[in-house]
């Protein structure tokens, strides 16, 4: 018996192996351990066959080493869904399965007990070595490491099935204990949206819930979820950032109690295993994009909150969009999906305008004043070194005096984005990237925010030896220092990836702010997504110019979405709020688009511009990035691929741009060269590229990254 295995590696081939009888009956869809090169790899059995591939010598076929699953990891519908993802994103098959099944690795953290160690049946005697005569519970990975047989996983699974080994049940990973709350009364608009969603029943129906910040989108999600739970079904809620999960858990647990699950990268392996072992019992699962791959057995509805957010696009490995993948999953399962946002992506807006998504609108806030009009502060009239304008400082003092709270937004971590020598002008740069090093003064380090390189701050310039070093610009750390000096009687906290490094730390900051013990937060983009703080009456944007001048056609769209979300954190309680925006470009077009109520007009105008330019979402682009330690190697492979694509471009009716250096030319020690293939009719790409990539021989020195529907063009 032979099996074809998609090996968990960036390889585009499927490999054939012999199936040994002692591993039971082979089944497609299970994980196995196989020999590959000089080592071993995990892989997924894609098919079982008796036929050798042409040209393959039977004597050279290697044998499967171990079997990791008794039954297939996914059912037929989810398998078809992943196959569609693999074809669309032009990813190696094994890499897709490795990404999707990463949740299964948490099984290694399961605790196992052997209560009858001295009476183990003969076939399970090798397991004795794991416990060394003790009866304590051991992690599964510890047992596997101690058992000296190659098929230890399969042996252990058989022992568990027969009850020789017992599995200790883990506790819940959800630590929230909220006060139970009853559903809120819905407005007419909310009730209409809920009715439309539930009318879809058990059929594929995509909805775009377009509502301003504070319009009650979450309540619509929760009441729809409640209807499905009453029918014994499950609901999946995807959020873009780990930072949003505490807020969502608080709301969901207050409504549904202990039948709530959570999934994100901040969980330990043991917490993940606890969640996997009780998937049948969960009513609502809240998680980041990887939660999409958990095999919820009774899934009836998917919610994608803040669907526009860039965090839903994976930027490493298989570069998939979790939002688009969720829509495909809903299609395969035949269930409704709700995409919610106050600033929808142009991709979703176009589909809603064309009738492929049903548009549901919530244009007004609930039980709160209308969103405030932004007040623009021209920094050109202030001193060059000013961090906080007099107008903003005065507004901050007033808010603090009244016992209210504020949020300051600056999308830049650290103390300063650069450190310059005033004597020779030298600026410290990363030795591995084409980027400046960011100054983190509290820990006296210069760090690269791209490759994580860090070094100590030296007292003298690296180039000339002088000690005249000047921090350029401002980051959240610098603003926190300014606030502490200006308002020493009040408490402030940063909310960025440097200060909030774990889920407990994140939850502590949010709880302290919600209880009023922290008077102001200074944060990056992770602060402005979906949080609800009723006592915040002032939002200050410290540098609105950041992100507007990037060489990326989506830069304006992303900037507008971010600003609207920032403004939406203000005035959500009984008191009206103020939004003050500092800028050195007060006449910029995008600033004039921030008035509340203009969101639909802004989306329509930008969509019209994209159509005229032939840009996404009216075109489909595929970005190929070739990276290598040697620039010549990357350029050579990119040039060869470019020649092949130029010969095909007329037949496919596509445009080719490049090869050219990426805007960030060097990253983590590798030079980067790109090709951009653009299909204005959305007919040929990405599928026409698949055979070319399968036969592309880039060699071991060059890595090829394929990004379908690229979101980051840097």
């Amino acid at each position: 018996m032979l099996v074809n295995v998609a090996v968990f590696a960036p390889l585009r081939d499927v490999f054939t192996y012999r199936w040994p009888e002692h591993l039971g009956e082979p089944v497609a869809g299970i994980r196995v351990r196989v020999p590959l090169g000089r080592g071993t790899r995990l892989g997924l059995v894609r098919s079982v066959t008796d036929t050798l591939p042409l040209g393959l010598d039977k004597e050279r076929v290697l044998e499967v080493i171990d079997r990791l699953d008794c039954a297939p990891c996914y059912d037929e519908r989810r398998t078809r869904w992943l196959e569609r993802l693999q074809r669309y994103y032009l990813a190696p098959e094994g890499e897709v399965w490795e990404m999707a099944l990463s949740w299964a690795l948490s099984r290694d953290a399961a605790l196992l007990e052997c209560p009858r160690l001295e009476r183990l049946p003969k076939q399970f005697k090798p397991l004795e070595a794991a416990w060394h005569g003790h009866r304590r519970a051991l992690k599964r990975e510890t047992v596997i490491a101690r058992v000296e047989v190659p098929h230890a996983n399969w042996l252990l699974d058989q022992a568990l099935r027969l009850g020789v080994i017992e599995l200790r049940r883990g506790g819940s990973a959800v630590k929230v204990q909220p006060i139970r709350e009853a559903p809120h009364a819905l407005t007419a608009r909310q009730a209409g949206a809920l009715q439309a969603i539930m009318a879809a029943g058990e059929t594929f129906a995509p909805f775009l819930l377009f509502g301003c910040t504070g319009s009650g989108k979450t309540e619509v999600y929760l009441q729809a979820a409640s209807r499905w739970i009453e029918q014994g079904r499950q609901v999946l809620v995807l959020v873009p950032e780990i930072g949003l999960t505490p807020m969502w858990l608080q709301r969901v647990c207050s409504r549904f109690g202990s039948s709530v699950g959570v999934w994100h990268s901040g969980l330990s392996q043991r917490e993940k295993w606890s969640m996997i072992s009780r998937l049948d019992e969960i009513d609502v699962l809240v998680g980041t994009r990887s939660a999409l791959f958990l095999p919820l057995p009774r899934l009836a509805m998917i919610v994608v909150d803040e669907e526009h957010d860039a965090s839903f696009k994976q930027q490493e490995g298989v570069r998939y969009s979790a939002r688009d993948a969720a829509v495909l999953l809903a299609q395969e399962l035949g269930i409704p999906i709700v995409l919610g946002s106050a600033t929808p992506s142009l991709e979703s807006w176009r589909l809603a305008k064309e009738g492929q998504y049903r548009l549901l609108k919530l244009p007004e806030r609930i039980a709160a004043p209308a969103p405030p009009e932004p007040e623009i502060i021209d920094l050109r009239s202030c001193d060059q070194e000013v961090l906080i304008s007099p107008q903003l400082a005065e507004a901050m003092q007033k808010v603090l005096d009244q016992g209210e709270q504020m949020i300051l937004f600056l999308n830049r971590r650290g103390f300063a984005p650069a450190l310059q020598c005033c004597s020779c002008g030298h600026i410290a740069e990363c030795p591995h990237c084409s980027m400046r090093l960011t100054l983190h003064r509290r820990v006296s380090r210069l760090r690269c925010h791209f490759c994580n390189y860090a070094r100590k701050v030296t007292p003298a310039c690296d180039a000339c030896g002088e000690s005249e070093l000047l921090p350029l610009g401002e980051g959240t750390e610098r603003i926190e220092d300014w606030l502490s000096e200006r308002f020493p009687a009040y408490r402030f906290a940063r909310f960025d990836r440097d200060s909030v490094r774990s889920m407990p730390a994140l939850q502590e900051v949010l709880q302290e702010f919600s209880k009023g013990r922290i008077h102001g937060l200074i944060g990056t983009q992770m602060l402005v997504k979906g949080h609800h703080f009723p006592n915040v009456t002032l939002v200050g944007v410290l540098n609105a110019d950041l992100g507007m001048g990037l060489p990326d056609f989506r830069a304006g769209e992303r900037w507008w979405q971010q600003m609207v979300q920032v403004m939406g954190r203000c005035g959500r309680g009984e008191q009206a709020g103020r939004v003050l925006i500092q800028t050195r470009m007060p006449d910029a077009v995008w600033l004039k688009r921030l008035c509340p109520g203009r969101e639909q007009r802004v989306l329509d105008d930008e969509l019209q511009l994209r159509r005229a330019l032939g840009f996404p979402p009216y075109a489909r682009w595929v970005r190929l990035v070739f990276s290598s330690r040697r620039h010549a190697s990357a350029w050579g492979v990119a040039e060869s691929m470019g020649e092949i694509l130029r010969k095909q471009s007329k037949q496919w009716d596509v445009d080719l741009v490049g090869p050219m250096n990426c805007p960030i030319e060097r990253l983590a020690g590798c030079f980067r060269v790109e090709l951009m293939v653009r299909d204005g009719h959305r007919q040929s790409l990405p599928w026409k590229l698949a055979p070319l990539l399968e036969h592309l021989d880039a060699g071991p020195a060059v890595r090829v990254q394929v990004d379908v529907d690229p979101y980051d063009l840097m």
Side-chain angles (χ1 to χ4, degrees):
M1 189 73 73
L2 301 172
V3 291
N4 294 315
V5 177
V7 178
F8 291 176
L11 302 171
R12 295 188 178 271
D13 297 318
V14 174
F15 297 85
T16 302
Y17 292 90
R18 278 200 323 274
W19 184 266
E21 291 184 3
H22 65 264
L23 294 183
E25 192 71 22
V27 182
I30 60 173
R31 293 172 303 146
V32 292
R33 181 170 293 280
V34 295
L36 185 72
R38 296 181 180 178
T40 66
R41 287 271 192 167
L42 296 184
L44 189 88
V45 175
R46 298 293 287 122
S47 61
V48 181
T49 181
D50 291 319
T51 308
L52 272 173
L54 289 175
L56 184 62
D57 186 356
K58 184 178 180 180
E59 300 301 321
R60 297 185 61 188
V61 178
L62 301 177
E63 190 172 81
V64 172
I65 298 172
D66 199 1
R67 173 177 180 166
L68 277 69
D69 303 301
C70 297
C73 298
Y74 289 119
D75 59 20
E76 290 184 9
R77 293 183 299 176
R78 279 187 166 86
T79 299
R80 283 198 307 270
W81 166 62
L82 284 166
E83 289 169 348
R84 290 178 67 184
L85 287 187
Q86 184 265 324
R87 290 193 297 269
Y88 184 79
Y89 288 108
L90 302 174
E93 196 170 343
E95 203 169 17
V96 170
W97 289 106
E98 181 180 26
M99 171 195 70
L101 291 169
S102 61
W103 55 266
L105 296 176
S106 64
R107 187 176 65 156
D108 288 343
L111 290 177
L112 305 178
E113 295 177 315
C114 186
R116 295 175 295 277
L117 188 62
E118 67 283 352
R119 289 182 290 171
L120 278 176
K122 183 178 180 180
Q123 68 268 36
F124 299 122
K125 284 295 183 182
L127 297 177
E128 285 183 344
W131 273 269
H132 298 309
H134 300 287
R135 297 180 183 277
R136 66 181 184 277
L138 297 176
K139 284 185 178 181
R140 182 186 176 102
E141 63 180 348
T142 303
V143 175
I144 296 297
R146 291 178 177 178
V147 175
E148 296 181 354
V149 293
H151 58 288
N153 275 289
W154 179 242
L155 185 68
L156 194 54
D157 283 339
Q158 296 310 296
L160 282 164
R161 184 174 61 85
L162 296 174
V164 176
I165 302 295
E166 295 179 359
L167 181 66
R168 178 187 287 183
R169 189 67 184 271
S172 171
V174 179
K175 306 290 194 299
V176 179
Q177 295 180 338
I179 300 172
R180 294 298 291 265
E181 93 177 359
H184 299 292
L186 299 180
T187 65
R189 290 271 193 174
Q190 286 177 305
L194 176 62
Q195 183 178 2
I197 293 168
M198 297 311 301
E202 298 185 37
T203 59
F204 170 61
F207 297 92
L208 177 60
L209 186 58
F210 174 37
C212 69
T213 54
S215 61
K217 295 185 291 293
T218 303
E219 186 63 28
V220 174
Y221 304 149
L222 293 177
Q223 294 207 22
S226 179
R227 304 277 184 91
W228 284 116
I229 291 169
E230 289 171 0
Q231 301 176 39
R233 305 295 296 278
Q234 295 171 308
V235 173
L236 171 64
V237 179
L238 294 181
V239 295
E241 293 266 7
I242 293 177
L244 283 181
T245 53
M247 182 275 293
W248 262 102
L249 278 178
Q250 192 77 24
R251 291 293 304 274
V252 176
C253 289
S254 68
R255 196 68 59 89
F256 305 116
S258 61
S259 61
V260 176
V262 61
W263 188 269
H264 54 73
S265 60
L267 298 178
S268 67
Q269 286 294 88
R270 183 171 294 185
E271 289 172 325
K272 287 182 177 180
W273 167 246
S274 171
M275 199 57 56
I276 292 298
S277 64
R278 54 188 288 265
L279 278 184
D280 286 351
E281 305 166 15
I282 291 172
D283 290 332
V284 180
L285 178 67
V286 180
T288 51
R289 57 177 179 257
S290 59
L292 189 62
F293 300 103
L294 298 186
L296 290 167
R298 298 175 281 110
L299 186 60
M301 184 178 75
I302 301 174
V303 173
V304 183
D305 192 35
E306 309 292 354
E307 65 85 26
H308 65 277
D309 199 280
S311 298
F312 281 124
K313 182 66 188 284
Q314 173 85 3
Q315 296 297 346
E316 296 176 353
V318 182
R319 301 193 170 208
Y320 71 99
S321 162
R323 177 198 63 216
D324 297 345
V327 173
L328 285 180
L329 178 59
Q331 189 179 58
E332 283 290 346
L333 298 180
I335 60 175
I337 178 170
V338 184
L339 311 177
S341 179
T343 53
S345 64
L346 286 176
E347 287 76 11
S348 296
W349 187 248
R350 178 202 172 195
L351 292 171
K353 297 284 285 186
E354 294 178 353
Q356 296 184 56
Y357 290 176
R358 181 167 177 185
L359 181 61
L360 306 173
K361 296 182 181 179
L362 300 176
E364 298 174 352
R365 281 187 168 184
I366 295 176
E373 294 275 346
E375 303 172 40
I376 307 300
I377 299 173
D378 187 354
L379 287 179
R380 294 177 301 180
S381 60
C382 303
D383 293 337
Q384 187 69 25
E385 297 299 319
V386 71
L387 301 177
I388 307 290
S389 63
Q391 299 98 309
L392 180 55
E394 182 182 343
M396 291 161 58
Q397 184 68 65
K398 184 177 179 181
V399 163
L400 294 171
D401 290 344
Q402 293 173 346
E404 296 162 357
Q405 293 173 297
M406 63 181 180
I407 286 176
L408 299 182
F409 172 70
L410 179 62
N411 203 23
R412 185 184 274 165
R413 293 153 52 202
F415 184 85
L419 187 64
Q420 184 176 36
C421 174
C422 296
S423 180
C424 70
H426 172 74
I427 296 178
E429 295 186 349
C430 177
H432 309 298
C433 305
S434 306
M435 300 301 295
R436 295 174 175 178
L437 292 173
T438 298
L439 172 63
H440 292 256
R441 197 166 73 172
R442 291 191 179 179
V443 292
S444 190
R445 306 284 283 181
L446 288 168
R447 288 179 179 161
C448 175
H449 288 171
F450 288 83
C451 72
N452 293 321
Y453 167 82
R455 66 175 175 85
K456 289 185 178 180
V457 178
T458 55
C461 173
D462 298 331
C464 69
E466 295 292 335
S467 57
E468 300 294 324
L469 300 178
L470 177 69
L472 295 180
E474 65 281 336
T476 52
E477 185 182 320
R478 189 171 195 172
I479 301 303
E480 186 183 21
D481 289 350
W482 185 93
L483 288 170
S484 299
E485 292 176 8
R486 180 66 180 263
F487 307 108
Y490 298 93
R491 184 182 173 197
F492 302 94
R494 276 189 296 142
F495 199 83
D496 55 31
R497 297 191 190 283
D498 296 321
S499 58
V500 182
R501 293 180 173 270
S502 65
M503 182 57 67
L506 184 148
Q507 290 174 321
E508 181 182 359
V509 172
L510 291 178
Q511 288 173 2
E512 291 288 285
F513 191 61
S514 296
K515 294 175 181 177
R517 296 170 183 163
I518 294 175
H519 303 95
L521 288 179
I522 313 100
T524 55
Q525 59 185 352
M526 66 184 291
L527 174 61
V528 303
K529 301 174 182 180
H531 297 291
H532 178 67
F533 303 121
N535 198 39
V536 170
T537 58
L538 176 65
V539 165
V541 178
L542 302 187
N543 189 347
D545 307 334
L546 291 178
M548 290 184 71
L550 297 176
D552 186 337
F553 72 91
R554 285 194 177 91
E557 176 193 2
R558 285 199 295 262
W559 180 91
W560 172 76
Q561 289 167 338
Q562 201 169 69
M563 289 299 108
V564 172
Q565 293 291 336
V566 171
M567 292 165 57
R569 300 315 106 205
C570 183
R572 297 170 71 103
E574 296 179 358
Q575 301 296 321
R578 292 180 67 190
V579 175
L580 276 65
I581 299 178
Q582 298 186 159
T583 177
R584 287 184 169 82
M585 298 188 293
D587 300 321
V589 174
W590 279 101
L591 278 172
K592 303 182 189 307
R593 299 181 176 184
L594 292 180
C595 297
R598 290 198 59 190
E599 291 85 0
Q600 186 167 333
R601 174 75 179 275
V602 171
L603 290 164
D604 288 341
D605 288 348
E606 185 67 10
L607 205 57
Q608 186 177 355
L609 177 62
R610 298 279 183 90
R611 184 198 291 269
L613 295 173
F615 280 13
Y618 292 100
R620 182 173 285 123
W621 291 7
V622 177
R623 187 184 190 215
L624 305 176
V625 177
F626 305 83
S627 57
S628 175
R629 296 283 177 182
R630 297 180 64 249
H631 183 270
S633 300
W635 188 273
V637 177
E639 201 165 38
S640 299
M641 186 65 171
E643 290 176 4
I644 297 172
L645 288 171
R646 281 190 185 88
K647 294 176 183 177
Q648 300 287 346
S649 59
K650 288 186 178 180
Q651 181 183 346
W652 295 352
D653 196 16
V654 300
D655 297 323
L656 177 67
V657 180
M660 56 190 174
N661 293 326
C662 295
I664 301 178
E665 182 179 347
R666 192 161 177 254
L667 197 62
C670 290
F671 293 95
R672 304 162 72 239
V673 180
E674 68 174 307
L675 289 170
M676 186 72 77
V677 193
R678 307 192 297 196
D679 180 3
H681 304 285
R682 298 174 63 91
Q683 298 294 322
S684 298
L685 297 182
W687 305 279
K688 295 280 189 181
L689 289 175
L692 297 184
L693 291 170
E694 287 177 6
H695 295 96
L696 175 65
D697 183 14
V702 179
R703 182 186 177 194
V704 183
Q705 298 171 331
V706 183
D707 194 354
V708 179
D709 302 327
Y711 201 83
D712 180 3
L713 300 182
M714 299 301 290

